[in-house]
Amino acid sequence: MTINVYTEQTPNPATMKFMVNKLLINGSEDFATKESAEHSPFAKELFKFNFVNGVFFASNFVTITKTEDAEWADIEALLKDFVKGAVESEYKIKEDSNAEAPAFEGSDIEIKIQQILHDYVRPAVEQDGGAISYKSFDEGVVTVELRGSCSGCPSSTITLKSGIQNLLQRMVPEVKEVVSEAL
């Protein structure tokens, strides 16, 4: 199989989404620091580039966050070639990778919130090169964690309040507010 890689801009100008025509991972993995990539051969190699500041994998893409001093025009082609070679060489994203279906836990309301986030919000957030995960539900407040291109993205607050909060409030009347936990 010939591996094709193409890039997509994300709402976060510091991140670029590198799409491949092959499933890389079921779920997602976020490596926000070089140290966190210790058990990911793929991410570890990406962090060897001094302009890589973060790596996030989901389904068929890797979102790469660059350092402030790097310009996409200078590094995009190099990263595209690297991602192609890494996928062709079957670099592992995680050494101890066992894919599991999501297990939702908590009260009936918490399970419903997690299911909505998984079924409706996650695919949309992944389109922009990011990921969302449920953290907690307490006294009407849903706390989520945004990763990948969504972490630090200027438009993530609008997405959170206008999109996710409105959807959850319509589908789960007990939800009063949605907040993002800072990483």
Side-chain angles (χ1 to χ4, degrees), residues 11-165:
N12 184 346
T15 67
M16 180 81 65
K17 191 171 164 185
F18 292 78
M19 306 284 299
V20 296
N21 59 329
K22 178 182 179 180
L23 182 69
L24 299 175
I25 186 173
N26 282 316
S28 64
E29 286 293 330
D30 189 25
F31 303 99
T33 64
K34 191 175 192 170
E35 296 73 30
S36 68
E38 194 56 39
H39 298 292
S40 171
F42 199 147
K44 200 173 178 179
E45 288 299 312
L46 279 167
F47 273 109
K48 288 183 179 176
F49 293 106
N50 64 353
F51 49 77
V52 171
N53 206 24
V55 178
F56 173 78
F57 296 95
S59 58
N60 68 328
F61 66 87
V62 55
T63 299
I64 299 172
T65 304
K66 67 174 186 67
T67 56
E68 279 185 39
D69 58 335
E71 295 296 328
W72 285 118
D74 300 330
I75 62 174
E76 183 178 346
L78 176 68
L79 287 171
K80 203 170 166 181
D81 287 343
F82 175 82
V83 169
K84 179 177 174 35
V87 172
E88 287 172 342
S89 300
E90 297 185 1
Y91 278 30
K92 289 187 182 216
I93 291 170
K94 203 167 180 194
E95 287 172 350
D96 55 355
S97 182
N98 16 344
E100 292 179 17
F104 304 129
E105 296 177 349
S107 68
D108 289 347
I109 292 172
E110 289 175 296
I111 290 170
K112 187 172 183 181
I113 291 167
Q114 291 170 67
Q115 190 71 55
I116 292 166
L117 289 173
H118 183 269
D119 294 347
Y120 298 97
V121 179
R122 180 188 55 84
V125 171
E126 284 182 356
Q127 285 296 131
D128 285 338
I132 185 169
S133 59
Y134 170 83
K135 289 309 212 184
S136 65
F137 176 69
D138 186 37
E139 296 183 19
V141 179
V142 175
T143 303
V144 296
E145 179 181 86
L146 297 171
R147 298 185 320 273
S149 68
C150 296
S151 178
C153 174
S155 62
S156 67
T157 304
I158 295 163
T159 301
L160 196 65
K161 296 298 178 186
S162 299
I164 300 166
Q165 183 171 293

